[in-house]
Amino acid sequence: MISAASDTIAAQATAFGTAALAVIRTSGPEAIDITSRLAAHPERVLSASGYSMVHTYLVEPDGSTLDEVVLAVYRAPQSYTGEDMVEVFCHGSVPGVQRLLAALYGAGMRPADPGEFTMRAFVAGKLDLTRAEAVHEVVTSQTGAAHARALDRLEGSVYRRISAAKDRLVAIMANLAVQIDYPEEDTGEVPIPIETIVEARNDVDALVATYRVGRLYDQGATIALAGRTNAGKSSLYNVFLKQERAIVSPEPGTTRDYIESTLELEGVPVRLVDTAGLRDTREAIESEGIERTRRLIRHADLVLYLVDGRGGLDPGEDLPDIDPQRLIRVWTKSDDPRCAPPPEGYLAVSSVTAQGFAELVTAIGERLVPEADRAVTTVIDSLRQKQLLERASSALGEVLTGVDRGVPVDAISLDVQDAIHALGEITGEVTSADILDAVFGTFCLGK
């Protein structure tokens, strides 16, 4: 996939299914020529300039009409892939799109591999690897906040940060190379700029620190509603979803297995889980539900532990084995006259009047993404990038240790080179076929 392409590819770029319109994307040296052979007015396609639209019909070799279409023509190198491209805007009938694709393949194109269009853009130098990964992140983002951060990466924010750090190290490496390659020259020993190394490492570590937030916006968080039976978990679950999703009953033990739904809270995609009430029981099915609840509590990103404000806390009610950073205590049924004032550390909430609900959502958002982290727009969510940044940071740490211990310059230069190499792998300046296949293999066909 990473070699210069000599064939022409095609794939549907819009989602599969019935729609008003669909888009078929083609790219390669014969994209314009092959498409023109299927056009009722081939001369219009062949003479079209780049960035122009052509209205025509595409027809079978026997003259039968395939569809009325508009063709967007792009000429190399001014296109997404850097190659000649034609995008076919057609009607969104599933059989109709399939017929068009079959005709294009029959005329000499082949089906595109997942991510092959963006791969060709990378090979042509249209995108660095961080921007290429951001293309996939923009497409798959689940919330507005995730989409905004992915667009920021697509515009080059991560690339600029990494390139700035790498440029500092390349300048240092150039000075070290002179001392190593020409020791006989009376140039004197050039001191290694420690402050520059520290600045570069701090920049790298700052990007590593954004991974948790970036991954959270990309992958989301699991929030478990936990508490004793009749604590109001199912009622609060329905308030979050704005619909009667969970069965609410005064009878204890109604929820015997967990149910879950997805929603967005404060810009984060959330998997919200309503769990079985915690209590001692000999009933086999309910016992299994309670055990599943305990497993969810152990692994959830955040646990909302609910207490019925009318009955108050029972001995041992709190959950001391939960990390306080993963726990929000909720005092439910605050609209009921029998409800006692909430103890310190509890948020009073009513699922009937929604009193306190906005405050609870704010607390959840702050716990998942603290205010300081929300202000950071340039974040990474790629494990590949995180691991390479950590490698660069470790190498720079070895540089600082080596300088402190008086290690020879040639040994120090190896660690500087390792840091430069790691940063180069992130942007794609240094890469391998396996890495590229892993990155682009997750893309959809039309990208």
Side-chain angles (χ1 to χ4, degrees), residues 189 192-194 197-198 396-409 412 415:
E189 184 174 336
I192 297 174
I194 299 300
I197 295 289
V198 171
L396 293 177
E398 291 297 322
V399 171
L400 295 174
T401 300
V403 172
D404 188 56
R405 294 177 178 176
V407 172
V409 170
I412 289 176
D415 290 319

mmCIF file of all heavy atoms in Angstrom, residues 189 192-194 197-198 396-409 412 415:
data_model
loop_
_atom_site.group_PDB
_atom_site.id
_atom_site.type_symbol
_atom_site.label_atom_id
_atom_site.label_comp_id
_atom_site.label_asym_id
_atom_site.label_seq_id
_atom_site.Cartn_x
_atom_site.Cartn_y
_atom_site.Cartn_z
ATOM 1 N N GLU A 189 35.346 22.529 22.457
ATOM 2 C CA GLU A 189 34.152 21.760 22.781
ATOM 3 C C GLU A 189 32.940 22.681 22.891
ATOM 4 O O GLU A 189 32.969 23.676 23.612
ATOM 5 C CB GLU A 189 34.355 21.011 24.100
ATOM 6 C CG GLU A 189 33.188 20.108 24.462
ATOM 7 C CD GLU A 189 33.466 19.280 25.693
ATOM 8 O OE1 GLU A 189 34.651 19.050 25.999
ATOM 9 O OE2 GLU A 189 32.482 18.869 26.347
ATOM 10 N N ILE A 192 26.654 21.413 25.495
ATOM 11 C CA ILE A 192 25.302 20.973 25.159
ATOM 12 C C ILE A 192 24.308 21.900 25.850
ATOM 13 O O ILE A 192 24.382 22.080 27.073
ATOM 14 C CB ILE A 192 25.087 19.514 25.598
ATOM 15 C CG1 ILE A 192 26.045 18.598 24.834
ATOM 16 C CG2 ILE A 192 23.632 19.092 25.374
ATOM 17 C CD1 ILE A 192 26.003 17.165 25.298
ATOM 18 N N PRO A 193 23.397 22.511 25.106
ATOM 19 C CA PRO A 193 22.440 23.463 25.705
ATOM 20 C C PRO A 193 21.394 22.743 26.561
ATOM 21 O O PRO A 193 20.358 22.295 26.058
ATOM 22 C CB PRO A 193 21.813 24.151 24.496
ATOM 23 C CG PRO A 193 21.945 23.158 23.390
ATOM 24 C CD PRO A 193 23.188 22.376 23.655
ATOM 25 N N ILE A 194 21.671 22.606 27.838
ATOM 26 C CA ILE A 194 20.795 21.878 28.743
ATOM 27 C C ILE A 194 19.394 22.469 28.767
ATOM 28 O O ILE A 194 18.382 21.752 28.778
ATOM 29 C CB ILE A 194 21.388 21.871 30.168
ATOM 30 C CG1 ILE A 194 22.759 21.172 30.163
ATOM 31 C CG2 ILE A 194 20.439 21.178 31.135
ATOM 32 C CD1 ILE A 194 22.708 19.743 29.707
ATOM 33 N N ILE A 197 17.355 21.247 25.907
ATOM 34 C CA ILE A 197 16.948 19.855 26.102
ATOM 35 C C ILE A 197 15.776 19.786 27.074
ATOM 36 O O ILE A 197 14.784 19.065 26.842
ATOM 37 C CB ILE A 197 18.122 19.013 26.634
ATOM 38 C CG1 ILE A 197 19.244 18.935 25.604
ATOM 39 C CG2 ILE A 197 17.639 17.611 27.027
ATOM 40 C CD1 ILE A 197 18.936 18.089 24.406
ATOM 41 N N VAL A 198 15.869 20.539 28.157
ATOM 42 C CA VAL A 198 14.798 20.540 29.161
ATOM 43 C C VAL A 198 13.502 21.085 28.563
ATOM 44 O O VAL A 198 12.415 20.530 28.791
ATOM 45 C CB VAL A 198 15.212 21.367 30.398
ATOM 46 C CG1 VAL A 198 14.019 21.563 31.340
ATOM 47 C CG2 VAL A 198 16.354 20.674 31.137
ATOM 48 N N LEU A 396 15.584 11.780 26.076
ATOM 49 C CA LEU A 396 16.063 13.094 26.512
ATOM 50 C C LEU A 396 16.463 13.056 27.983
ATOM 51 O O LEU A 396 17.399 13.758 28.402
ATOM 52 C CB LEU A 396 14.988 14.151 26.270
ATOM 53 C CG LEU A 396 14.672 14.430 24.790
ATOM 54 C CD1 LEU A 396 13.534 15.433 24.656
ATOM 55 C CD2 LEU A 396 15.915 14.946 24.066
ATOM 56 N N GLY A 397 15.765 12.242 28.769
ATOM 57 C CA GLY A 397 16.175 12.055 30.165
ATOM 58 C C GLY A 397 17.561 11.439 30.250
ATOM 59 O O GLY A 397 18.380 11.820 31.108
ATOM 60 N N GLU A 398 17.848 10.487 29.343
ATOM 61 C CA GLU A 398 19.180 9.887 29.298
ATOM 62 C C GLU A 398 20.229 10.917 28.892
ATOM 63 O O GLU A 398 21.372 10.887 29.372
ATOM 64 C CB GLU A 398 19.187 8.716 28.312
ATOM 65 C CG GLU A 398 18.371 7.507 28.752
ATOM 66 C CD GLU A 398 18.923 6.889 30.007
ATOM 67 O OE1 GLU A 398 20.169 6.834 30.166
ATOM 68 O OE2 GLU A 398 18.113 6.463 30.858
ATOM 69 N N VAL A 399 19.871 11.837 28.015
ATOM 70 C CA VAL A 399 20.796 12.907 27.625
ATOM 71 C C VAL A 399 21.170 13.746 28.843
ATOM 72 O O VAL A 399 22.354 14.016 29.100
ATOM 73 C CB VAL A 399 20.179 13.797 26.532
ATOM 74 C CG1 VAL A 399 21.056 15.028 26.290
ATOM 75 C CG2 VAL A 399 20.001 13.022 25.234
ATOM 76 N N LEU A 400 20.170 14.160 29.599
ATOM 77 C CA LEU A 400 20.428 14.991 30.775
ATOM 78 C C LEU A 400 21.273 14.247 31.807
ATOM 79 O O LEU A 400 22.189 14.819 32.411
ATOM 80 C CB LEU A 400 19.101 15.425 31.394
ATOM 81 C CG LEU A 400 18.225 16.341 30.527
ATOM 82 C CD1 LEU A 400 16.871 16.579 31.177
ATOM 83 C CD2 LEU A 400 18.933 17.665 30.272
ATOM 84 N N THR A 401 20.973 12.960 32.006
ATOM 85 C CA THR A 401 21.765 12.156 32.940
ATOM 86 C C THR A 401 23.201 12.013 32.443
ATOM 87 O O THR A 401 24.163 12.113 33.235
ATOM 88 C CB THR A 401 21.136 10.757 33.104
ATOM 89 O OG1 THR A 401 19.816 10.892 33.607
ATOM 90 C CG2 THR A 401 21.953 9.904 34.061
ATOM 91 N N GLY A 402 23.347 11.793 31.136
ATOM 92 C CA GLY A 402 24.680 11.643 30.560
ATOM 93 C C GLY A 402 25.519 12.896 30.711
ATOM 94 O O GLY A 402 26.712 12.828 31.039
ATOM 95 N N VAL A 403 24.922 14.048 30.475
ATOM 96 C CA VAL A 403 25.649 15.316 30.630
ATOM 97 C C VAL A 403 26.070 15.492 32.083
ATOM 98 O O VAL A 403 27.202 15.896 32.387
ATOM 99 C CB VAL A 403 24.769 16.492 30.172
ATOM 100 C CG1 VAL A 403 25.438 17.814 30.514
ATOM 101 C CG2 VAL A 403 24.512 16.409 28.676
ATOM 102 N N ASP A 404 25.171 15.184 33.004
ATOM 103 C CA ASP A 404 25.463 15.336 34.425
ATOM 104 C C ASP A 404 26.611 14.434 34.858
ATOM 105 O O ASP A 404 27.402 14.788 35.737
ATOM 106 C CB ASP A 404 24.204 15.027 35.237
ATOM 107 C CG ASP A 404 24.375 15.341 36.707
ATOM 108 O OD1 ASP A 404 24.713 16.498 37.032
ATOM 109 O OD2 ASP A 404 24.163 14.430 37.548
ATOM 110 N N ARG A 405 26.722 13.256 34.237
ATOM 111 C CA ARG A 405 27.759 12.296 34.619
ATOM 112 C C ARG A 405 29.023 12.415 33.771
ATOM 113 O O ARG A 405 29.966 11.643 33.957
ATOM 114 C CB ARG A 405 27.216 10.875 34.497
ATOM 115 C CG ARG A 405 26.094 10.572 35.487
ATOM 116 C CD ARG A 405 25.558 9.170 35.273
ATOM 117 N NE ARG A 405 24.523 8.845 36.241
ATOM 118 C CZ ARG A 405 23.829 7.712 36.238
ATOM 119 N NH1 ARG A 405 24.060 6.794 35.298
ATOM 120 N NH2 ARG A 405 22.916 7.486 37.157
ATOM 121 N N GLY A 406 29.038 13.341 32.826
ATOM 122 C CA GLY A 406 30.214 13.524 31.991
ATOM 123 C C GLY A 406 30.403 12.440 30.952
ATOM 124 O O GLY A 406 31.533 12.118 30.571
ATOM 125 N N VAL A 407 29.286 11.860 30.456
ATOM 126 C CA VAL A 407 29.356 10.818 29.428
ATOM 127 C C VAL A 407 29.920 11.427 28.142
ATOM 128 O O VAL A 407 29.615 12.580 27.803
ATOM 129 C CB VAL A 407 27.955 10.220 29.200
ATOM 130 C CG1 VAL A 407 27.946 9.285 28.005
ATOM 131 C CG2 VAL A 407 27.492 9.493 30.456
ATOM 132 N N PRO A 408 30.728 10.679 27.379
ATOM 133 C CA PRO A 408 31.288 11.210 26.126
ATOM 134 C C PRO A 408 30.212 11.688 25.157
ATOM 135 O O PRO A 408 29.095 11.172 25.135
ATOM 136 C CB PRO A 408 32.045 10.011 25.549
ATOM 137 C CG PRO A 408 32.393 9.182 26.736
ATOM 138 C CD PRO A 408 31.245 9.337 27.685
ATOM 139 N N VAL A 409 30.601 12.637 24.328
ATOM 140 C CA VAL A 409 29.660 13.264 23.406
ATOM 141 C C VAL A 409 29.057 12.254 22.435
ATOM 142 O O VAL A 409 27.860 12.318 22.116
ATOM 143 C CB VAL A 409 30.366 14.393 22.617
ATOM 144 C CG1 VAL A 409 29.473 14.891 21.484
ATOM 145 C CG2 VAL A 409 30.708 15.540 23.540
ATOM 146 N N ILE A 412 26.219 10.469 24.121
ATOM 147 C CA ILE A 412 25.074 11.362 24.300
ATOM 148 C C ILE A 412 24.336 11.552 22.982
ATOM 149 O O ILE A 412 23.103 11.609 22.935
ATOM 150 C CB ILE A 412 25.539 12.717 24.869
ATOM 151 C CG1 ILE A 412 25.962 12.545 26.337
ATOM 152 C CG2 ILE A 412 24.440 13.777 24.754
ATOM 153 C CD1 ILE A 412 26.536 13.801 26.953
ATOM 154 N N ASP A 415 21.495 9.116 22.183
ATOM 155 C CA ASP A 415 20.204 9.372 22.829
ATOM 156 C C ASP A 415 19.467 10.529 22.148
ATOM 157 O O ASP A 415 18.242 10.500 22.014
ATOM 158 C CB ASP A 415 20.409 9.679 24.314
ATOM 159 C CG ASP A 415 20.848 8.454 25.099
ATOM 160 O OD1 ASP A 415 20.306 7.367 24.843
ATOM 161 O OD2 ASP A 415 21.735 8.583 25.965
#
